[in-house]
Amino acid sequence: GGSAPIYYLDLASVDQHQTDQAAGNTAMPFETLRNVFVEQIKMCREMLVVASPFYAPLVTNRGWCLFEAVIAKLNDVPISVVTPPSEEGMLRDLIMGDDGHEIMIRVMTTIDSSKAEATVLEDLQNIRAVIETDVDGGYLEVDNIYKKVLRPWVLDLLSTLFKTFAEGSIEAARFATNCGIIMDGVGDYPKAIQ
């Protein structure tokens, strides 16, 4: 039942590095890219963000990724975050360590879109101009958008990983304690006591 999901894959939708042959083999103009991205993102039912590596997701440091997520959020396109299954086990083990909770707190609190990078400097300058002129609150709002996207991902992931422990075990209690520290560390005390 239901219709097949529609995925938005930026590079498959429009090649950011494609040349504009009509303009004499120059890089595709940013406005063309921007318009194409905005229209394609608005048509999506959902945007999928891959948080890899889990301890420092690349998407939080890439100008185009931030731009796409902001466009999705501003156009009410839901955003889901996933982690490759191969990394979930590493995250579980890390959280069980003495200071493992610190990494997830850092992931959820230290996003700084003003330091994002892009392969093409002109693209980055244009993305920054869009953030500075089109996003109420500028970089701080972009950071907040991404934090709001990451928080449910972390909650769901922690819940999933918690279920991998034997019920009532010391390991489950330790993991739950560290999960509480993570949620408290990002200012979500109600989730910390759950």
Side-chain angles (χ1 to χ4, degrees):
S3 57
I6 297 174
Y7 296 99
Y8 168 77
L9 180 59
D10 59 356
L11 192 56
S13 299
V14 61
D15 185 350
Q16 296 138 311
H17 307 292
Q18 176 182 341
T19 56
D20 185 354
Q21 299 300 323
N25 205 25
T26 61
M28 184 179 285
F30 178 77
E31 280 306 309
T32 301
L33 287 172
R34 177 183 178 179
N35 293 337
V36 170
F37 278 128
V38 169
E39 289 309 309
Q40 290 182 352
I41 291 169
K42 285 167 61 174
M43 291 187 306
C44 292
R45 284 185 238 145
E46 182 174 6
M47 177 178 277
L48 184 66
V49 173
V50 179
S52 180
F54 67 84
Y55 51 84
L58 293 176
V59 297
T60 62
N61 298 312
R62 304 296 305 158
W64 276 110
C65 296
L66 292 167
F67 174 78
E68 292 162 0
V70 167
I71 295 303
K73 212 57 170 158
L74 293 176
N75 288 283
D76 298 318
V77 175
I79 301 174
S80 294
V81 182
V82 296
T83 301
S86 60
E87 292 191 24
E88 288 181 7
M90 290 187 294
L91 176 58
R92 179 185 184 268
D93 294 343
L94 182 75
I95 291 174
M96 290 297 288
D98 291 336
D99 295 320
H101 55 277
E102 292 295 328
I103 287 178
M104 294 312 292
I105 293 171
R106 188 177 69 242
V107 165
M108 293 195 308
T109 59
T110 61
I111 295 169
D112 186 351
S113 57
S114 69
K115 294 181 180 176
E117 301 172 349
T119 304
V120 178
L121 179 60
E122 185 178 350
D123 285 349
L124 183 59
Q125 292 166 340
N126 287 320
I127 290 167
R128 286 180 175 161
V130 169
I131 290 171
E132 293 166 3
T133 59
D134 294 1
V135 179
D136 290 337
Y139 295 107
L140 183 59
E141 181 59 19
V142 172
D143 297 347
N144 287 332
I145 287 171
Y146 243 92
K147 289 174 186 177
K148 289 175 186 172
V149 167
L150 290 178
R151 188 170 301 230
W153 161 67
V154 170
L155 283 172
D156 289 345
L157 186 56
L158 294 177
S159 177
T160 298
L161 293 175
F162 179 72
K163 294 173 187 170
T164 64
F165 293 95
E167 189 175 334
S169 68
I170 292 172
E171 291 81 12
R174 181 173 183 175
F175 189 83
T177 298
N178 285 345
C179 289
I181 292 169
I182 291 169
M183 297 318 299
D184 188 47
V186 299
D188 200 343
Y189 187 73
K191 295 289 183 193
I193 60 174
Q194 289 180 355

